[in-house]
Amino acid sequence: MPDAKSDTPDDVSERRTHKQTDPATKFRSHPVERTVHLVTSPAPAQHTNASTSRRKSADHASGNTTQKKTDQFAKFENLREKGMWLVIPPPADTIDRDNGGARSALAEVGIGYVGGSVNTFISNQLPNAARSTIRDQLYAGQNPTFSTLNFMFVTYDLSRFGIPDGQIIVGAEQQYWTWKPGGPDRAGLNTIAYYQTFFGGKLEIKAGYLRNINEFAGTVVGGNAAANVFGASSNILYQAGMSNNAAPTPALNLKYNFDDRFYNRISIQRSLSPDGQLAQIAENPAGLNWSTANAGVLLLNESGYKNKAAPGLPETWLRAGAGFNNSSYTNLQHPEQPRANANSIYYVAADRQLWQSDVRSSAARGIYGGFSVMYAPPDLNRVSQYYELRLYAKGLFGSRPTDQIAIVATNTVWSNCAVDAALAQGHLVHRDTTAVAGTYPRIWHRAYTVA
C-alpha cells in the first residue's frame, strides 16, 4: 500500500473510490470458509484450509483497518494553507496528528492548524576559532550562534459557505537569535490572509499581510519546508523588498491559470525597508504597521510552467520573474548623495524530475535536478548575482518514502560598488562566495501496529 503521508489528495481519493467500488474484496473470505466446511477431505487438510482462510480473513481485516487509518487524514487536506508553492508538512506528518480527536473536532467546524519549531546552532570549526571570540561578529557562526523560530498557523474553511476554495489564514511567529543581526528577536504577526478562486479555479486571489517568499520564485530545494533550509537566494529577494515569514507586509496577489500547467502570477506588495531586514523588523517587530521609513511599493510578476509527477510523466517546474521597487534606496556607489529609487530584481529557475523510482505507486519519488539564476543592480544591492545548481532525491529508499537528500552548490557575487567601498576603508573583502551543502533531513513518522 502506498504511504499516504507522501500521497497527494488525488491519490487518497482514488484509493477511497476503489475501496468503495470493489465489494468482492470485502466479502471474499466468507465463501472460502463455507467451501471448507462442505468439502469432504482428511481432517489435516480441512484444518490447513481453514487456517489459511482465517489468516486471509484476518489479513484483509487488518488491511481495511490500515486503510481507514490512512484515509482519516484526507479530510484535513482542504484545511491546509492555500496559494503557496511551499509544501508544509501535512497533519499525518505532525507529532500530534489527530490524538484525542482534537484535530477532527476542529475540522468539523472548519478549523485547521499547524505549528512548528526550527532550532539552529552554527559554530566556526577552524582550528583557532575556539581560542578567541570576535567582539563585532559579522556573520552567523563567526562566534557560536544559536537561533530558534516558532510559529503557528490557523485556517478557516469558507467553502462550507459556498465560497469557492475560500479560506482565511492567521499566523503568528516568535524568533530569537544570539547574534541579533541574524534575526533579530521578534514576536508578532506572521500572516493574515484571505484566499479564494474564481471561474472554476482559473483565477486565484490572495490578499492581506502576506509572505511572498512562499508565493514566488521557489527558493527551497524540492519545495518541502520540512526537509530543507532556505538558501542564500532568499537574501537577494529580501533586498528587492520581498516580504517573508519574519516580515509580512500588505499585498494583493493574483494568479491566472491558463490551464493545469501554465500560469502567470502578479503581486502589488508594500516593500520591506530599503535598509534591509534588520531595519524592517527593528521598526516594525509586530508586523502590523502598514509601512516603514523610505519603503514604497514592490511590483512582482512571475510566469511559469508546472506539472505534477504522474506515471511516466516526470515532474517539471519552470519559472521566470521580475520585480520593480520604487522605495528610496541608498546608492552604494555614491552613499553621500540623496537616496535613489527604482530598484529591481530578475530571476529564472527550473526543476526537473530525472528518474522515477516508483512509477506506479508514488510517481513523485525519484531523482531531480535544477538551477536558479538571480540578478539585482550592484549600485543598490549588496548581493548582485546568485547562481545555484542542485541535485536532490525524494523517497530514494523504499523504507523511507518521504525522506529527501540534496546536494546544492551556490555562488554569490557581491556588489562591486560595496566591495570597492570596503577596500577603500581597508577591510578584507571577497568578490564572491562559493559554497557546497549536502543535507539529509529525515522525516520521522509514527508507526501503527494493527492486531
Side-chain angles (χ1 to χ4, degrees):
M1 180 180 297
D3 186 352
K5 300 179 185 68
S6 60
D7 289 346
T8 64
D10 292 339
D11 296 331
V12 176
S13 176
E14 182 179 351
R15 289 199 305 276
R16 295 178 66 184
T17 303
H18 178 71
K19 185 180 72 172
Q20 294 171 357
T21 58
D22 192 9
T25 302
K26 183 176 181 180
F27 299 103
R28 188 178 298 153
S29 61
H30 298 287
V32 173
E33 290 185 358
R34 294 191 186 98
T35 303
V36 169
H37 290 294
L38 292 174
V39 172
T40 302
S41 59
Q46 289 182 359
H47 177 75
T48 302
N49 291 342
S51 299
T52 302
S53 176
R54 284 194 295 271
R55 282 198 302 271
K56 289 182 179 179
S57 181
D59 290 343
H60 184 74
S62 172
N64 283 341
T65 304
T66 305
Q67 182 73 57
K68 291 177 182 178
K69 289 183 180 293
T70 298
D71 289 347
Q72 69 175 338
F73 294 101
K75 61 187 176 184
F76 303 125
E77 285 299 320
N78 196 46
L79 298 174
R80 298 172 68 183
E81 182 177 353
K82 300 177 180 179
M84 301 191 303
W85 59 261
L86 184 68
V87 180
I88 294 177
D93 290 342
T94 59
I95 294 175
D96 62 321
R97 293 168 66 91
D98 193 22
N99 287 345
R103 194 183 294 272
S104 290
L106 290 171
E108 288 295 326
V109 294
I111 298 175
Y113 71 90
V114 64
S117 179
V118 180
N119 301 276
T120 307
F121 179 78
I122 309 172
S123 181
N124 190 340
Q125 295 300 297
L126 291 175
N128 297 325
R131 298 182 183 178
S132 63
T133 58
I134 308 299
R135 166 179 270 184
D136 298 319
Q137 183 177 349
L138 299 177
Y139 55 87
Q142 188 176 21
N143 292 333
T145 305
F146 170 76
S147 68
T148 181
L149 167 65
N150 307 286
F151 63 88
M152 172 67 74
F153 297 100
V154 177
T155 65
Y156 184 69
D157 177 28
L158 295 175
S159 63
R160 59 201 290 116
F161 303 113
I163 301 175
D165 300 308
Q167 189 179 70
I168 294 174
I169 310 107
V170 178
E173 180 197 75
Q174 179 269 332
Q175 67 179 32
Y176 168 81
W177 286 70
T178 56
W179 178 56
K180 302 311 177 186
D185 302 347
R186 77 176 290 261
L189 176 71
N190 187 289
T191 186
I192 298 178
Y194 173 86
Y195 173 91
Q196 82 164 87
T197 61
F198 297 89
F199 312 117
K202 284 282 189 181
L203 179 64
E204 302 177 45
I205 181 173
K206 196 170 186 179
Y209 283 78
L210 305 183
R211 305 103 68 215
N212 269 338
I213 196 69
N214 298 339
E215 310 273 339
F216 287 82
T219 57
V220 175
V221 178
N224 190 335
N228 297 275
V229 294
F230 287 92
S233 59
S234 301
N235 296 335
I236 196 170
L237 296 171
Y238 295 170
Q239 291 177 150
M242 186 177 289
S243 59
N244 52 75
N245 292 278
T249 64
L252 170 65
N253 291 359
L254 299 173
K255 180 185 178 185
Y256 186 78
N257 300 297
F258 296 96
D259 53 27
D260 59 351
R261 299 184 182 182
F262 289 95
Y263 70 88
N264 190 78
R265 188 195 300 267
I266 61 174
S267 176
I268 303 174
Q269 179 213 303
R270 173 61 73 179
S271 172
L272 296 185
S273 169
D275 295 323
Q277 180 95 345
L278 177 60
Q280 170 73 28
I281 298 177
E283 185 176 346
N284 185 17
L288 289 169
N289 293 354
W290 174 260
S291 183
T292 52
N294 299 310
V297 175
L298 171 63
L299 301 177
L300 292 164
N301 186 86
E302 178 180 295
S303 298
Y305 171 95
K306 187 174 186 178
N307 72 273
K308 294 183 178 180
L313 178 64
E315 182 175 318
T316 303
W317 187 16
L318 312 174
R319 63 268 192 204
F324 301 93
N325 193 331
N326 69 355
S327 299
S328 296
Y329 281 80
T330 298
N331 190 312
L332 299 178
Q333 194 168 14
H334 306 288
E336 302 303 324
Q337 293 184 0
R339 287 174 174 260
N341 297 326
N343 195 7
S344 57
I345 180 75
Y346 309 89
Y347 64 86
V348 294
D351 286 270
R352 170 75 172 181
Q353 188 175 18
L354 306 176
W355 174 65
Q356 293 181 320
S357 61
D358 190 359
V359 177
R360 293 180 177 272
S361 301
S362 183
R365 290 176 55 193
I367 296 177
Y368 295 71
F371 72 89
S372 297
V373 177
M374 300 184 180
Y375 173 81
D379 57 333
L380 299 176
N381 303 275
R382 286 180 170 81
V383 179
S384 179
Q385 301 172 48
Y386 177 80
Y387 304 92
E388 177 177 300
L389 288 175
R390 48 190 174 268
L391 182 67
Y392 53 102
K394 298 181 180 180
L396 193 60
F397 307 113
S399 59
R400 306 291 309 172
T402 57
D403 284 1
Q404 184 166 296
I405 304 172
I407 300 175
V408 182
T410 64
N411 179 248
T412 302
V413 179
W414 308 104
S415 160
N416 63 300
C417 299
V419 169
D420 292 343
L423 280 172
Q425 297 175 12
H427 294 302
L428 175 66
V429 299
H430 295 280
R431 294 286 176 180
D432 67 318
T433 301
T434 301
V436 178
T439 61
Y440 179 23
R442 299 189 68 182
I443 310 301
W444 298 98
H445 303 293
R446 181 171 304 179
Y448 281 104
T449 301
V450 181

